[in-house]
Amino acid sequence: RDDAAMAIFVHSHPQGSAIFSEADDEVDGQLRQVFFDHSGYPMFGSLVIAGSKASPEFVGRLETPNATEIKMDFIRVVGDQLLVLSDDDVAEVTPQFDRQVRALGPEGQDTLRNLRVGIVGAGGTGSAIVEQLIRLGVGNLVIIDDDLVTPATIARGYGSHRDDIGKTKVELLARLAEQIKFDTQVDSVFGNVQDKEVALHLRHCDVIFCCADGHGARIVLNRLAYAQLSPVIDVAILISSSNEKVTGIDGRITWLSPGASCLLCRNRIDPMMANAENLDPLERRRLAGQGYVPEIEDPQPSVVSYTTLIASFAVTELLNRLFGFA
């Protein structure tokens, strides 16, 4: 009730069929009004999990107080792996995915087609991830970024050209999907994920890539991974330099989901930095001068081959979590 959430009752049919039995119908009839009363939400969910761990099946329904019934046709199970189950028939594979299907199988390609993936940050890593997801055949993308294309963007930003300076990065990636013509639907959101209305665009994503700079966006997505059961693949690359010489190149990919340690637990987020990034720029400079918040950092070095490399590892991590190989 506090979360304005809906209750879902789960029936288990181990080694059985994914159908609602008479006993299931009787239990749901007894619980429906009780759940309405206690949750305060005008919908009740009922789910049957059947089959086996190796080959799970499900059937589900959502019911309203006036007995309207809506079929539940897609669910995800999150943890160390990401399992997405659809109640629809496997779609026919189109010729452009012929070589890919030889590795993933028709069911794997259908899984990608049904996915809704969020990408927060459309820079060097984010744009490379978007292009690879499109070419994999992912069906729906939500791309969030609040930045414009600058002359420095084009050296590492996929889908951008010199004539695009001043345009939003998200519109260029939506254009890229249209040019590739693989039927990927793109919801391009110009904004900052720390804005609640912007973050709400991610609420139906099955998995999210965090390619944002800084700590503020990461602290939002870190919470979302657990609260909304939408796993986050956090991506970071740092080129360290001293006296104009590169001293190290470090990449990191972190899987965030129930059962895994969060970014705060791993000391990958600095709460003080996250707070400072939320301040008005003038206020941050004033407080930084007084020693209350960190100084504003200069942009980090970035090279397209390294951002693309870590982006490829991140997309491969998604395939690993979905299909168990990488």
Side-chain angles (χ1 to χ4, degrees):
R1 179 181 289 273
D2 290 344
D3 293 338
M6 180 184 70
I8 299 180
F9 190 83
V10 181
H11 306 272
S12 62
H13 292 188
Q15 307 300 324
S17 300
I19 58 172
F20 284 102
S21 67
E22 292 184 3
D24 296 332
D25 291 337
E26 182 178 351
V27 169
D28 288 350
Q30 294 170 351
L31 291 178
R32 189 179 300 111
Q33 190 59 49
V34 177
F35 276 41
F36 286 146
D37 293 341
H38 283 281
S39 70
Y41 195 87
M43 195 170 284
F44 165 70
S46 181
L47 180 66
V48 172
I49 300 294
S52 64
K53 184 175 182 179
S55 183
E57 301 174 5
F58 81 97
V59 64
R61 59 192 177 194
L62 310 175
E63 298 179 81
T64 64
N66 63 5
T68 301
E69 187 172 303
I70 304 167
K71 178 186 175 186
M72 194 184 301
D73 57 10
F74 185 84
I75 64 172
R76 67 174 177 268
V77 184
V78 302
D80 191 49
Q81 297 293 123
L82 173 61
L83 177 66
V84 289
L85 299 175
S86 174
D87 199 30
D88 295 331
D89 294 332
V90 175
E92 183 178 352
V93 178
T94 52
Q96 64 260 28
F97 298 120
D98 175 70
R99 298 284 291 274
Q100 191 166 289
V101 169
R102 295 169 190 264
L104 305 180
E107 294 81 7
Q109 191 62 50
D110 201 60
T111 294
L112 293 173
R113 181 183 66 85
N114 281 313
L115 277 185
R116 184 174 180 85
V117 179
I119 304 94
V120 179
T125 53
S127 64
I129 285 172
V130 167
E131 171 135 2
Q132 291 180 60
L133 293 175
I134 294 170
R135 295 189 184 279
L136 280 171
V138 171
N140 292 273
L141 301 180
V142 179
I143 307 172
I144 296 176
D145 196 287
D146 63 350
D147 205 3
L148 303 177
V149 175
T150 66
T153 302
I154 302 164
R156 63 188 185 281
Y158 285 74
S160 62
H161 308 284
R162 292 181 68 178
D163 294 339
D164 294 325
I165 294 172
K167 296 179 181 178
T168 66
K169 292 179 179 179
V170 292
E171 68 177 294
L172 299 188
L173 292 176
R175 182 185 70 187
L176 178 64
E178 292 177 358
Q179 292 171 338
I180 294 175
K181 299 184 185 300
F182 274 13
D183 298 326
T184 298
Q185 302 299 309
V186 175
D187 180 8
S188 55
V189 183
F190 180 68
N192 192 312
V193 76
Q194 296 173 77
D195 180 340
K196 181 178 179 180
E197 292 306 311
V198 173
L200 285 173
H201 286 270
L202 298 170
R203 61 187 161 184
H204 298 305
C205 289
D206 300 300
V207 63
I208 300 165
F209 287 89
C210 176
C211 308
D213 294 328
H215 299 252
R218 280 190 164 87
I219 210 165
V220 172
L221 296 176
N222 184 67
R223 176 173 173 78
L224 190 146
Y226 302 89
Q228 296 293 328
L229 303 184
S230 295
V232 170
I233 300 176
D234 186 58
V235 184
I237 184 166
L238 176 66
I239 301 177
S240 306
S241 60
S242 177
N243 298 322
E244 299 183 354
K245 291 185 178 180
V246 172
T247 57
I249 303 171
D250 297 280
R252 175 177 60 76
I253 298 164
T254 308
W255 174 259
L256 306 174
S257 77
S261 299
C262 76
L263 291 176
L264 285 167
C265 302
R266 299 170 189 256
N267 294 317
R268 301 299 189 189
I269 299 177
D270 183 340
M272 184 177 292
M273 285 290 293
N275 177 62
E277 290 169 9
N278 282 321
L279 297 174
D280 176 83
L282 292 177
E283 177 69 2
R284 180 174 178 180
R285 288 190 182 92
R286 185 182 70 81
L287 293 175
Q290 298 175 5
Y292 290 115
V293 300
E295 296 282 352
I296 297 174
E297 298 175 344
D298 291 329
Q300 296 288 343
S302 185
V303 179
V304 64
S305 61
Y306 303 134
T307 54
T308 302
L309 176 66
I310 200 71
S312 295
F313 273 124
V315 174
T316 303
E317 181 68 10
L318 172 62
L319 297 179
N320 182 32
R321 299 290 176 167
L322 282 169
F323 306 121
F325 63 87

